[in-house]
Amino acid sequence: MEKVPTRLNVAPVPPDEIFALNGAFFADTHPQKVSLGVGVYRTDDGKPWPLPAVEKAEKQLAEENDLMRHEYTAIEGDVPFLKIARDLMFGFEGKASEEPAKARIASVQTVAGTGANHLGALFLAHHMKPRNVWLSNPSWANHMTIWELAGVPRKTYPYYHAATRSFDFDGMMSTLENDAEEGDAVLLHACAHNPTGLDPNKEQWIAIADLCERKKLFPFFDSAYQGFASGSLEEDAWAVRYFFDNKPDMEMCVAQSFSKNMGLYGQRTGAFHYITNRSATSIRDVVVNNLCHLIRGEFSMGPRIGCTIVKKIMSSEELTADWHNDLQVMSSRIKSMREALYNELVRLKTPGTWEHIVEQNGMFSYTGLTPKQVYALKDKYHVYLLKSGRASISGLSQKNVAYVALAIDDVVRNVL
């Protein structure tokens, strides 16, 4: 048979590490296997946890049997949901005095946090044309892909100091000070930095905001863990709100996800907020219009079910209180697992220092393990984590933490 040449110019791309690792974990039949790869919350039994507040909301929605529940929404998304998402992110409480601040914010619904990041990158690439986007080194791997596809050149600023396993604030500030150019975008993790679990303190956030304002950089916040990281919605939004409240002449944007804090992983629920400066509020509706143009050509409108659940929870004082309790349950369990792993490693006298595990924040820990040690954990102990050494603390439990600590102790002692 004669071969017909293809018009495609394609080459294989590496598989996504997280999803490939998760697939390998599910195919593993070892009884003591442990997944520390994928970033999803698990109970102490290692099972998914539909939040009780979400389950109550779903039950109420089912009983209401709204005939419109499968209908289209607007291109910008569900407008009442967008107001809720905005108020949650920026701390609005419905006061009349807040209206001028709200007028700065153009909001649209997205396909979760990934969609918000992508839409924001595409919007800036079309309408602001930054020379570069600055990403932390390391950052969530998908940030690189998103900005690559948007066609914006990517540069990195130091973030992780490997020797001390700490946040490299001086390296970050020096690089942005010396090398970032006016109009460059700077990607900032609002809290629970992925993958390191290391966040700036409030004084450092203030200095970062001052630098962005002075050098006329554009802050792009990725907020994936509000309420999930610390248990406090206010604390986890502190950096975003500081920039918004204290730098009113600086434009910025926020990609917001409800995947982690409401457990709506598969519902793909998120929002993108573009914040104008206080003298340019007249363009807010034009910004929404242009965002809708991109949305219409890509996915037409955001998914309906997840945002309906968010609305149901946030419009009920009882369900909102339940949700706050759920956030405490999740954040407290993550913290307790950090302490348990640290205590086991100290008890075993595992070589090295491990304080960083309890000093880090949120779902992930940059353990400091080398790729060889990570591979040894998988091959010998069936413990799965990313080759960078990033571990999802949610995968730990009272049942497996001692086993994981023993495995780490062994590879640290015997695998260089």
Side-chain angles (χ1 to χ4, degrees):
M1 181 185 297
E2 182 181 356
K3 290 186 177 181
V4 179
T6 178
R7 295 180 181 274
L8 294 176
N9 179 20
V10 293
V13 295
D16 182 274
E17 184 187 5
I18 295 173
F19 282 88
L21 190 73
N22 204 39
F25 171 78
F26 279 114
D28 191 339
T29 58
H30 193 274
Q32 286 186 288
K33 66 179 181 178
V34 180
S35 175
L36 304 181
V38 67
V40 294
Y41 181 78
R42 291 289 183 258
T43 66
D44 201 56
D45 291 325
K47 295 179 180 179
W49 192 56
L51 273 60
V54 170
E55 290 188 314
K56 288 181 182 179
E58 289 174 322
K59 183 178 180 181
Q60 291 180 21
L61 289 168
E63 291 171 350
E64 291 169 7
N65 193 29
D66 181 7
L67 295 180
M68 296 292 290
R69 65 186 181 275
H70 298 303
E71 293 291 302
Y72 294 127
T73 59
I75 297 174
E76 67 264 36
D78 186 299
V79 174
F81 160 76
L82 289 173
K83 292 179 180 178
I84 288 169
R86 177 202 63 195
D87 292 355
L88 190 70
M89 188 75 259
F90 296 94
F92 295 130
E93 299 175 348
K95 300 174 183 176
S97 59
E98 296 169 342
E99 292 307 313
K102 291 180 181 178
R104 295 175 55 201
I105 305 173
S107 302
V108 293
Q109 189 178 339
T110 62
V111 184
T114 298
N117 275 275
H118 169 68
L119 181 66
L122 200 61
F123 178 76
L124 295 187
H126 277 76
H127 299 291
M128 196 180 80
K129 295 180 169 56
R131 289 188 182 91
N132 307 287
V133 59
W134 290 87
L135 307 175
S136 63
N137 182 20
S139 190
W140 180 43
N142 214 17
H143 283 147
M144 282 288 195
T145 302
I146 287 167
W147 287 93
E148 175 193 358
L149 294 175
V152 178
R154 294 150 293 150
K155 293 187 175 181
T156 61
Y157 56 85
Y159 195 88
Y160 179 69
H161 192 269
T164 58
R165 299 175 182 177
S166 62
F167 169 45
D168 188 1
F169 174 68
D170 292 339
M172 172 184 179
M173 296 296 283
S174 175
T175 297
L176 293 178
E177 183 68 58
N178 295 326
D179 299 334
E181 304 176 66
E182 180 178 338
D184 282 358
V186 181
L187 198 292
L188 302 167
H189 299 227
C191 68
H193 181 272
N194 180 1
T196 68
L198 297 166
D199 294 327
N201 60 37
K202 290 178 180 178
E203 291 74 20
Q204 290 168 335
W205 274 124
I206 292 170
I208 293 167
D210 290 342
L211 183 147
C212 289
E213 182 180 47
R214 178 168 43 79
K215 288 188 65 70
K216 296 182 171 59
L217 307 179
F218 184 90
F220 190 123
F221 277 100
D222 186 356
S223 178
Y225 302 97
Q226 186 186 3
F228 181 97
S230 70
S232 166
L233 295 164
E234 294 74 23
E235 189 68 20
D236 293 344
W238 190 91
V240 171
R241 294 178 185 180
Y242 178 84
F243 275 62
F244 178 76
D245 293 335
N246 293 276
K247 305 296 179 184
D249 295 320
M250 183 169 65
E251 301 198 352
M252 56 183 276
C253 66
V254 182
Q256 181 183 18
S257 172
F258 288 89
S259 295
K260 304 296 191 297
N261 60 12
M262 285 201 180
L264 299 175
Y265 302 101
Q267 285 82 355
R268 314 312 293 144
T269 309
F272 176 75
H273 309 280
Y274 187 95
I275 296 91
T276 72
N277 66 63
R278 59 182 166 184
S279 63
T281 56
S282 61
I283 71 165
R284 181 187 67 172
D285 292 344
V286 179
V287 171
V288 171
N289 172 258
N290 279 269
L291 287 167
C292 286
H293 179 65
L294 295 174
I295 290 170
R296 181 59 172 150
E298 189 162 314
F299 58 93
S300 278
M301 61 201 64
R304 184 158 196 151
I305 299 301
C307 71
T308 304
I309 292 171
V310 173
K311 283 193 304 179
K312 174 59 70 173
I313 291 173
M314 299 305 294
S315 61
S316 162
E317 289 187 7
E318 178 184 349
L319 289 179
T320 298
D322 288 344
W323 178 51
H324 289 173
N325 290 334
D326 295 342
L327 291 173
Q328 288 292 331
V329 169
M330 292 189 290
S331 62
S332 296
R333 202 186 87 74
I334 295 290
K335 291 173 187 175
S336 69
M337 285 300 98
R338 286 185 179 278
E339 292 171 359
L341 179 60
Y342 169 74
N343 289 337
E344 282 294 313
L345 292 170
V346 170
R347 184 182 65 80
L348 294 168
K349 299 181 180 178
T350 304
T353 58
W354 301 96
E355 289 83 1
H356 58 283
I357 290 175
V358 289
E359 291 170 352
Q360 293 163 351
N361 183 37
M363 179 173 282
F364 301 114
S365 171
Y366 227 45
T367 59
L369 297 172
T370 67
K372 286 185 177 181
Q373 291 167 341
V374 168
Y375 295 141
L377 281 176
K378 179 172 72 72
D379 294 340
K380 185 175 181 180
Y381 291 99
H382 303 266
V383 175
Y384 291 76
L385 61 158
L386 300 191
K387 64 182 178 182
S388 64
R390 190 204 81 169
S392 177
I393 299 298
S394 179
L396 294 174
S397 70
Q398 296 293 339
K399 298 177 182 178
N400 68 27
V401 67
Y403 174 76
V404 171
L406 279 169
I408 291 174
D409 181 76
D410 179 44
V411 300
V412 167
R413 292 179 187 275
N414 298 302
V415 180
L416 300 178

